[in-house]
Structure formats: structure tokens, C-alpha cells
């Protein structure tokens, strides 16, 4: 549900013509900027401060909210950072468009505050007709961040095969959760989507808006569901890009994720076979992965001065499959690890490289994804490996479910279908080969929301926004501006992907 960390460091996408590059955007998502210091705002008001860097077209500020919304009078307060980019065509302004670009663990304020990034992320029609409102959710730098110990310990298996390994994984997970509470305080226990949705509504009220339109990408669709269920009368329009089906239990999430990753790896192998510049062209990618795992299991693959486990390599490959824009780096990383025993390039794709960001991601997501029983992990790991044999079950959902297993506090989310009135009519965008949020989740959510419209786009990449499918994005723009569902609900692959294997 995130952009791979290493793409943030790629030099392949540079700023051209004043538009933000993908590298600049991904760097933002990995390392959000901190706001200028501001005095706490009174509850229900915005404390405005200059944007950093200054931009006369945007306004930045903070809104004070209670740490515990259920007990606001007795709770401490915390701040959420916001940025507002006013509609360029004031005479035809539609209203406010809030958005969440995914994660969790990164913010949205800088995407609204910085002109080049806003123009990269939002089509001109949205910048013209909407006040774009970016919010850095609680727990994220920019707002009050959660601080935790490093959650990554390669010596603790994430795919346990014995009861002793399960106990070791649960102990490591529990120690991580305890570190978040110890370093952050009560805020660490209040990072779930329902709480963040209440923060968003406080922002809406502080801006004096009766309703909002909302664009949620990946994790942002989880936040969208929480907001729509709590405040359905305040939703004007809702776009769900790369939707998570929150009705599913942990085992279904894991098995669907493993199958989607297996499909994504086959697609990657086919693209390599059809691309002359791919360094794995002419090779059996699955066989190369097997060779790489075997070397790692013998301690022959290294990065950063230490041996890298086969588990780490599989999870890094999984992260590299989130976008075809990473194909060259992924292929080179697999080749170097397999032929040279050097995993530096491959592990640079991994979410684990941004340790602070990954800690925030884990601290937040564990409050919103259903838990697997620790004693079920061994069998679930085996079932996932059968669904996704090439990466032996690795997927983002396995990373989440294994990383949250055994935590002392239960997840705040109980799996259920959307509980919203018929006035909530989302537009859902779903890619045919999304490795993080599979098409079957979008189909399931669509069936359970009779007023929804599903745009199915062909091609590869996690989420259509902001660069994987322009056709699906155009459908979303029309819906957001006019509340008109698209006449055509299928989209071909973008030209940049159309020449690749289908």
C-alpha cells in the first residue's frame, strides 16, 4: 500500500518543465517535511502559519484535536498539520477535496502546499475547481509523530515454521508495540482510521465546509470507509483507488495478497522477456530467484556489511513489484544478488530501508488490520506459500499480519462490509494486476455498495494515481467535478505499458 522506498532515490525521473518528478514525490512520501513551528490552535480553529517553503498560493496551519476522541475533556490534545491550495478558478469552485495518498506513515500536506508536487499529483481540472486540502494524519511527521524502536530484526523469522519461532515473533512484535507507547505516550494507542476520520472532520469544521469530497489511495481507502461510515451526510463524492476490502479476515487478506504477488511476478518476468534492456532477459526469473534464496540461506548474500536473509530478499522483491517503473532496478537487484552475492540494489527497494517510516507504518496499520491467531501463523504461512510459490508467500499483507500478530491490544477494526446509506456513491478504480490491493477486493466492495461505480483498468501498478492509468484518473476527475459516473467503466493500459506483456 506504499511506494517502494528505493524509487525515492531513483535518478530516472527528474523534474522537467516545472513538474515534480516521481522521485521527488516518493521522497516526500518517505520523508515528509516538518511544518514551521506554531502555537497550538484553539479547538475548532486553524492556527495559520507560512508554508515551508513559502508559497503565496497555499496556506498552511494546524488544528488541535483530542488524543482520545471518546474522552475529549479528559484527554491530552495533539495537533494535525494541514495545507490548503485554493481553487484556481474561484468562479467555478466546487468545494473542498481532501485526499490521502496511502501509506500509512506519510502525510499529504506537502502535496498540497508545494506547487510542483501538487501539479504532479492533481490534474489541472481538480486544481481549478477544488480547494485541495492535504492533512498529515496524527502519528506522522508534520503532525505529532509516533516514535518507536526499530521494528526490523532479521534474526526473527517472519515466516515461522515452529512454535518456538512463533513465540519469538510474538515477543518481538510485543516489544515493538511497547516501545511506541513508552516513547510516544497515549497517542500511540490512538492512531486508527476511525480516530483519524474524526480528525479530518475537525479539519472540515475548522475550514467552515459543510461537506467534503475525498480521494483515498490504498490505505486512504480504509480511511475513506471510516469517514463515510461515521459522517455519511458530509460526503459529497468519494474516489477509492486501490481499495482494501475491510470485510475480510486476516487469512483471506494474506492468501489474496500472495496470489496477486504471484501474478505480479509473472507479469514482471514477461515484461523482462519482451524488453531488450532487461538484464534478466532470456533467463527463467523463478529459477534465478531460487538460486538467490539458496545463496542467501548459505550466508553468501550481503548488503550493508551483513548477511541478508532469504526472507528479506523476498520481501524486497515484493516491494519492487508495486510499479513497473521499478522494473530495471528490480531486475538489476535480482541479478546482482544472484550472481555477485550483492543485495545492495535489491534491498534498496525494500520498505525496511526507511526504518523510521516503516516503524510508523507498522504502529498505525496494526490498529486497523484484523489479527491472525499466533498459533495459526505456521499453517497460514504454508498456505500463502502455495498461493504464491515464487516468493514463498511474501506479500504486503503477510508483512502486516505477521508483524501485528500477538500484540497485547486488539485491533480497533472488526471486519465488516461498508455500512453507509445509499446517498454514498463511491467511484472505485481497480487495476487488473495490482499486487497490493487485488482486483477481487474491488469487485467485492463494488458488489456490496449498490450505488458504487467500478472502473476496471488494465495494466500493472499499485493504484491508478498518479501515474499508472490516465484513463481511470480522467473518469475520477469527471466524477469529482460533475458527480457524473463514467459512461465507460473499462480502461486500457496506458501507452507506456501497452507494449508490455498482457
Amino acid at each position: 500500500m506504499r511506494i517502494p522506498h528505493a524509487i525515492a532515490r531513483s535518478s530516472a525521473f527528474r523534474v522537467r518543465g516545472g513538474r515534480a518528478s516521481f522521485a521527488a514525490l516518493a521522497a516526500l512520501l518517505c520523508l515528509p517535511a516538518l511544518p514551521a513551528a506554531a502555537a497550538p490552535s484553539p479547538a475548532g480553529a486553524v492556527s495559520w502559519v507560512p508554508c515551508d517553503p513559502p508559497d503565496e498560493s497555499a496556506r498552511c496551519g494546524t488544528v488541535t484535536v483530542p488524543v482520545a476522541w471518546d474522552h475529549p475533556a479528559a484527554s491530552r490534545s495533539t495537533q494535525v498539520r494541514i495545507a490548503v491550495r485554493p481553487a484556481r478558478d474561484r468562479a467555478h469552485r466546487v468545494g473542498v477535496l481532501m485526499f490521502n495518498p496511502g501509506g500509512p506513515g506519510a502525510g499529504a500536506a506537502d502535496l498540497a502546499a508545494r506547487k510542483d508536487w501538487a501539479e504532479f499529483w492533481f490534474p489541472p481540472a481538480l486544481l481549478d475547481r477544488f480547494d485541495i486540502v492535504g492533512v498529515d494524519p496524527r502519528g506522522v511527521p508534520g503532525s505529532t509523530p509516533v516514535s518507536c524502536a526499530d521494528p526490523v530484526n532479521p534474526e526473527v523469522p517472519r515466516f515461522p515454521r515452529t512454535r518456538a519461532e512463533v513465540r519469538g515473533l510474538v515477543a518481538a512484535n510485543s516489544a515493538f508495540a511497547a516501545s511506541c507507547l513508552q516513547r510516544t505516550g497515549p497517542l500511540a494507542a490512538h492512531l486508527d482510521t476511525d480516530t483519524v476520520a474524526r480528525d479530518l472532520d475537525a479539519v472540515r469544521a475548522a475550514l467552515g465546509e459543510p461537506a467534503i469530497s475525498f480521494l483515498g489511495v490504498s490505505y486512504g481507502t480504509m480511511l475513506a470507509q471510516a469517514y463515510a461510515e461515521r459522517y455519511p451526510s458530509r460526503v459529497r463524492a468519494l474516489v477509492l483507488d486501490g481499495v482494501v476490502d475491510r470485510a475480510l479476515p486476516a487469512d483471506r487478506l494474506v492468501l489474496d495478497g500472495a496470489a496477486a504477488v504471484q501474478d505480479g511476478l509473472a507479469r514482471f518476468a514477461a515484461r523482462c522477456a519482451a524488453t531488450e534492456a532487461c538484464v534478466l532477459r532470456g533467463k527463467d526469473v523463478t529459477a534465478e530467484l531460487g538460486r538467490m534464496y539458496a545463496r542467501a540461506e548459505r550466508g553468501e548474500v550481503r548488503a550493508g556489511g551483513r548477511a541478508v536473509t532469504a526472507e528479506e530478499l523476498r520481501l524486497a522483491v515484493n516491494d519492487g513489484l508495486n510499479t513497473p517503473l521499478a522494473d530495471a532496478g528490480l531486475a538489476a537487484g535480482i541479478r546482482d544478488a544472484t550472481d555477485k552475492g550483492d543485495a545492495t540494489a535489491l534491498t534498496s527497494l525494500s520498505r525496511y530501508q526507511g526504518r523510521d517510516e516503516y516503524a510508523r507504518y507498522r504502529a498505525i496499520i496494526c490498529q486497523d488490520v484484523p489479527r491472525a491467531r499466533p498459533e495459526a501463523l505456521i499453517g497460514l504461512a504454508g498456505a500463502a506459500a502455495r498461493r504464491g510459490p515464487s516468493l514463498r508467500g511474501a506479500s504486503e499483507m503477510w508483512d502486516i499480519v505477521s508483524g501485528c500478530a500477538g500484540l497485547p491490544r486488539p485491533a480497533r477494526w472488526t471486519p465488516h462490509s461498508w455500512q453507509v446509506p445509499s446517498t454514498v456513491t463511491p467511484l472505485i478504480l481497480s487495476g487488473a494486476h495490482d499486487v497490493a490491493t487485488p482486483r477481487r477486493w474491488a469487485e467485492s466492495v463494488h458488489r456490496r455498495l449498490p450505488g458504487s461505480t467500478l472502473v476496471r483498468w488494465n495494466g500493472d501498478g499499485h493504484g491508478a494515481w498518479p501515474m499508472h492509468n490516465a484513463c481511470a484518473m480522467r473518469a475520477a476527475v469527471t466524477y469529482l467535478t460533475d458527480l457524473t459516473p463514467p459512461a465507460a467503466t473499462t480502461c486500457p493500459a496506458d501507452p507506456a505499458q501497452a507494449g508490455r506483456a498482457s
Side-chain angles (χ1 to χ4, degrees), residues 261-323:
V261 169
Q262 184 68 20
D263 171 65
L265 187 68
R267 300 275 299 177
F268 164 73
R271 292 193 301 270
C272 259
T275 304
E276 187 173 351
C278 180
V279 298
L280 296 180
R281 190 182 188 202
K283 297 184 178 181
D284 182 330
V285 171
T286 298
E288 293 300 292
L289 291 174
R291 289 179 56 214
M292 181 177 72
Y293 303 154
R295 289 200 68 172
E297 287 161 0
R298 295 193 298 267
E300 297 174 0
V301 180
R302 304 184 68 81
R306 67 172 181 85
V308 178
T309 69
E311 283 187 8
E312 291 178 275
L313 297 175
R314 296 199 297 271
L315 290 167
V317 172
N318 170 71
D319 281 344
L321 293 173
N322 273 278
T323 174

Side-chain angles (χ1 to χ4, degrees), residues 14 32 36 42 69 72 104 250 325 339 375 387 434 455 457 473:
R14 301 184 183 276
W69 274 101
L325 299 173
D339 294 346
E375 59 271 22
R387 289 286 185 95
D434 190 324
V455 174
W457 58 272
M473 291 176 63

Side-chain angles (χ1 to χ4, degrees), residues 64-82:
T64 299
V65 294
V67 167
W69 274 101
D70 289 339
H71 306 284
S75 169
R76 299 179 184 179
S77 63
T78 188
Q79 291 182 290
V80 292
R81 180 194 179 210
I82 70 170

Side-chain angles (χ1 to χ4, degrees), residues 440-451:
R440 66 183 303 169
W441 294 354
E443 299 283 2
S444 177
V445 171
H446 175 49
R447 286 194 300 271
R448 295 180 178 126
L449 283 171

